[in-house]
């Protein structure tokens, strides 16, 4: 079981931001921006490559709702999902990173090991 499945199961605590019956949004434990929220489906999918496209549509609605809820829908945010080894995925349960709260730097060389987001 991945750490995010344990969070869904209530076995590990999280700093919850928004939840419905299918999705959960909570603060990243190691934030890379003033606002750094992880968004996950409660059902297990390893990554976006395995995600159900129909459920992905519902997840998009949840992400849009989250952006309104935390007040960044107008100011903007960055949405990132890392997929697989070359994508830098560490937790093998699909998640999106929502980064916001500042004008974010865009590293034009994502293969630079110093680069974050
Ligand atoms: P990935 O590299 O897989 O795209 O991102 C995994 C993210 O999960 C990282 O940003 C990391 O800080 C976060 N993370 C790892 N373990 C925990 C945890 O136990 N709780 C929370 N809230 N975030 C975690």
């Amino acid at each position: 079981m991945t750490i995010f499945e344990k969070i869904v199961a209530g076995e590990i605590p999280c700093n919850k931001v928004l939840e419905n019956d299918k999705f959960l949004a909570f603060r990243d434990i190691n934030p890379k921006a003033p606002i750094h929220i992880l968004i996950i489906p409660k059902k297990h999918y390893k990554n976006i490559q395995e995600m159900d496209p129909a459920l992905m549509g519902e997840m998009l609605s949840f992400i849009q709702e989250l952006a309104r809820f935390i007040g960044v829908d107008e100011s903007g945010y960055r949405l990132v999902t890392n997929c697989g080894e070359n994508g830098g995925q560490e937790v093998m349960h699909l998640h999106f990173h929502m980064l916001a709260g500042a004008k974010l730097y865009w590293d034009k060389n994502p293969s630079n090991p110093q680069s974050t987001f």
Side-chain angles (χ1 to χ4, degrees):
M1 210 188 219
T2 65
I3 201 146
F4 291 172
E5 289 167 279
K6 289 180 183 168
I7 286 174
V8 171
E11 292 171 19
I12 293 180
C14 73
N15 192 342
K16 185 170 75 178
V17 179
L18 192 67
E19 180 178 22
N20 68 16
D21 58 328
K22 293 181 179 164
F23 308 104
L24 176 65
F26 55 97
R27 307 255 172 211
D28 195 294
I29 207 165
N30 182 21
K32 304 281 198 307
I35 297 170
H36 187 168
I37 296 171
L38 299 171
I39 306 125
I40 65 171
K42 291 186 174 177
K43 189 174 172 189
H44 179 67
Y45 297 92
K46 185 176 165 192
N47 55 39
I48 198 163
Q49 196 58 35
E50 294 193 353
M51 180 58 166
D52 172 5
L55 190 62
M56 191 61 231
E58 293 185 52
M59 193 164 184
L60 174 58
S61 294
F62 182 77
I63 289 167
Q64 292 169 337
E65 183 189 347
L66 172 67
R68 287 191 296 272
F69 182 69
I70 64 169
V72 302
D73 53 315
E74 294 289 336
S75 54
Y77 56 89
R78 182 168 300 157
L79 202 60
V80 174
T81 189
N82 297 324
C83 179
E85 189 180 346
N86 279 359
Q89 185 179 4
E90 288 177 0
V91 179
M92 295 300 159
H93 179 100
L94 171 65
H95 53 281
F96 286 89
H97 300 255
M98 180 180 278
L99 300 146
K103 191 157 177 64
L104 300 171
Y105 176 68
W106 179 254
D107 192 326
K108 304 290 184 195
N109 178 11
S111 61
N112 172 5
Q114 304 305 320
S115 143
T116 51
F117 287 106

